[in-house]
Amino acid sequence: MDKMTIPTKVLVKPTLGRRIFIKLLWVSVILLAIVAVLSFFASGFKFRELFELVIPVMVLINFSSLQSSVPHYENCLADVEFTDNELKVNYDSDKKTACKSLTVPYADIQAVEYSKALSCFKLTFNTKISGASNESYHLLYSEEASADDLMGIIERKTGLHTDKTE
């Protein structure tokens, strides 16, 4: 059994509460825009009515673009364990990540690709694997220093050749 701890990245998604709050903000601003346009015509084309809409729109744009409001990648550590039959990846992240752990039988790994530019392995599966980046593949980010070791173990355990891209 081989085991490695590697620096990696995980996809962190905004919480459900934050996503709902942003949608409610959008609905509120749209309603304010409708009221502002109606007030503009009712007041005899006074532009002041439209300018009052600027601040709520600016707040919404600012809040929606915060890092915690959009999916993004954050650095963490991953314990990668190679048993006799399967690959196990446990992410050491206290954030709301898309993936906390992943267990894949070697027989289900159809292809392995490595992108040097992204420092990322793409493990493609022939069945759906829950917890993967996408049920049909998983992205495992790895620093270049540990990529060769990781690639060697993956090739040895799966019997697959790793396709490399720049």
Side-chain angles (χ1 to χ4, degrees):
M1 178 172 73
D2 295 306
K3 188 173 184 177
M4 299 176 67
T5 300
I6 59 170
T8 188
K9 296 183 225 178
V10 290
L11 180 63
V12 178
K13 294 184 177 181
T15 62
L16 178 62
R18 183 171 285 272
R19 291 191 314 252
I20 290 171
F21 183 68
I22 290 172
K23 286 184 181 7
L24 289 175
L25 278 177
W26 273 105
V27 169
S28 300
V29 168
I30 289 170
L31 290 175
L32 282 174
I34 292 169
V35 169
V37 169
L38 292 175
S39 296
F40 173 72
F41 289 116
S43 67
F45 303 104
K46 293 183 182 174
F47 284 99
R48 180 175 172 261
E49 303 295 330
L50 292 179
F51 286 124
E52 290 177 356
L53 185 61
V54 171
I55 291 176
V57 169
M58 296 295 283
V59 168
L60 176 63
I61 290 171
N62 220 1
F63 189 79
S64 296
S65 64
L66 290 174
Q67 184 178 8
S68 58
S69 299
V70 294
H72 62 282
Y73 284 91
E74 290 189 8
N75 295 324
C76 73
L77 293 175
D79 293 322
V80 182
E81 186 178 333
F82 297 92
T83 65
D84 292 336
N85 303 340
E86 58 193 12
L87 166 68
K88 295 180 181 181
V89 182
N90 292 311
Y91 291 95
D92 182 25
S93 176
D94 57 349
K95 303 287 185 184
K96 177 81 173 149
T97 61
C99 180
K100 289 286 188 190
S101 66
L102 176 72
T103 301
V104 184
Y106 298 130
D108 291 344
I109 300 175
Q110 186 175 21
V112 180
E113 299 172 53
Y114 179 72
S115 169
K116 192 172 185 176
L118 298 174
S119 298
C120 180
F121 286 93
K122 180 180 181 184
L123 305 170
T124 306
F125 313 125
N126 57 13
T127 61
K128 292 186 177 184
I129 304 291
S130 65
S133 302
N134 175 319
E135 288 183 334
S136 62
Y137 67 85
H138 184 68
L139 301 176
L140 178 61
Y141 291 88
S142 169
E143 289 185 343
E144 196 171 337
S146 59
D148 288 334
D149 293 337
L150 194 57
M151 189 179 312
I153 297 171
I154 290 173
E155 286 179 352
R156 190 175 77 239
K157 293 288 188 174
T158 63
L160 298 170
H161 177 71
T162 304
D163 293 327
K164 300 174 195 169
T165 61
E166 293 296 321

